[in-house]
Amino acid sequence: MLRTDRHARILDHVAAQGSADVTQLARLLNVSPATVRRDLRHLSEQRLLDRTHGGALPSGLSIELPLQHRADQRSPQKQAIARAAAALVPEGAVVGLTGGTTTTEVARILADRGPVTIVTNAVNIAANLVLRPTVTLIVIGGTARSQSYELVGPIAEKTLADHHTDIAFLGVDGISAAHGCTTHDQLEAATDRAFAAHGSRTVVVADHSKIGRTTFAKICPTADVHTLITDSEAPTGELTAMGELGVRVTVVG
């Protein structure tokens, strides 16, 4: 198991169980206690959890999990969502992509299929696409967020105001019928809102863990979303409520 995969598993386990000890984690990950201790020390230094004598507790900061620790979580579901999303894009379209693990999957599929124009503020997506001959790539500038690899803020919003996309795919930290689309960061929310405002269609790609969840900063009301693509583990009550608000809900898997 790769180091980043171990870190994601550790963070998931500690968050779900409320604590973990070295012996538990060594058994879960099939690695030595010494390896677990090194991993816990690294995650503690990143302020993603709190070390205890013999184990760890969730961080009291309740901060956003960085992208590199989310990249491999629920990947089959994210890939299925991304395939359904890419199927909505006609050849030669102009596509907006915010950051996130699922939007990154959408970008990969579109790049393999091409030709397509992609407008993005995600530096990891841009790095993956810059050498693709079938992709016309437009990178939105701004202030870099290390948590999500996104460029955000007034520069990003001003640039987006000068462009129009046929379809904008939003990655969100939460979406609910009552509170709309939300994310952890105010600047990121404003930049995501600009993507939605300057696209003909707004499509949210979100696995079931985001459905019914509300985080700090609001991106847009639910009614502003044209389509939500999620997986079959999403709560049906929330999906029904969003459908009643005019959102076209697509469930994969």
Side-chain angles (χ1 to χ4, degrees), residues 217-229:
K218 188 166 186 174
I219 299 169
C220 65
T222 307
D224 288 357
V225 176
H226 296 84
T227 304
L228 166 67
I229 306 177

Side-chain angles (χ1 to χ4, degrees), residues 37-230:
R37 291 189 189 97
R38 285 195 296 271
D39 288 341
L40 293 180
R41 183 166 55 251
H42 173 81
L43 293 170
S44 177
E45 289 169 354
Q46 298 296 311
R47 304 182 74 189
L48 295 172
L49 52 71
D50 292 331
R51 287 291 307 274
T52 63
H53 180 69
L57 295 170
S59 169
L61 297 176
S62 187
I63 60 176
E64 176 184 5
L65 189 63
L67 184 69
Q68 69 265 33
H69 296 302
R70 293 183 271 133
D72 295 316
Q73 296 179 359
R74 289 177 291 273
S75 57
Q77 292 162 321
K78 292 177 187 293
Q79 289 166 2
I81 292 168
R83 286 192 294 270
L88 299 177
V89 179
E91 183 176 310
V94 179
V95 178
L97 287 170
T98 71
T101 53
T102 309
T103 52
T104 299
E105 290 293 334
V106 176
R108 289 180 183 135
I109 294 170
L110 292 177
D112 287 340
R113 194 183 70 187
V116 65
T117 297
I118 290 180
V119 181
T120 187
N121 67 327
V123 294
N124 65 309
I125 291 176
N128 287 335
L129 300 185
V130 67
L131 296 179
R132 297 296 192 102
T134 60
V135 176
T136 300
L137 177 66
I138 299 169
V139 183
I140 302 302
T143 303
R145 286 198 71 228
S146 60
Q147 298 294 88
S148 62
Y149 299 169
E150 288 179 283
L151 303 172
V152 300
I155 295 172
E157 293 161 42
K158 185 178 185 303
T159 307
L160 285 165
D162 293 332
H163 294 81
H164 179 83
T165 60
D166 298 309
I167 185 167
F169 291 105
L170 301 187
V172 301
D173 292 311
I175 178 171
S176 69
H179 300 289
C181 298
T182 56
T183 189
H184 289 282
D185 181 79
Q186 288 176 307
L187 288 177
E188 184 177 320
T191 301
D192 289 353
R193 193 178 307 123
F195 268 101
H198 300 291
S200 294
R201 297 172 64 192
T202 300
V203 178
V204 172
V205 287
D207 68 57
H208 67 274
S209 68
K210 312 292 178 58
I211 309 302
R213 184 184 183 198
T214 303
T215 57
F216 174 64
K218 188 166 186 174
I219 299 169
C220 65
T222 307
D224 288 357
V225 176
H226 296 84
T227 304
L228 166 67
I229 306 177
T230 188

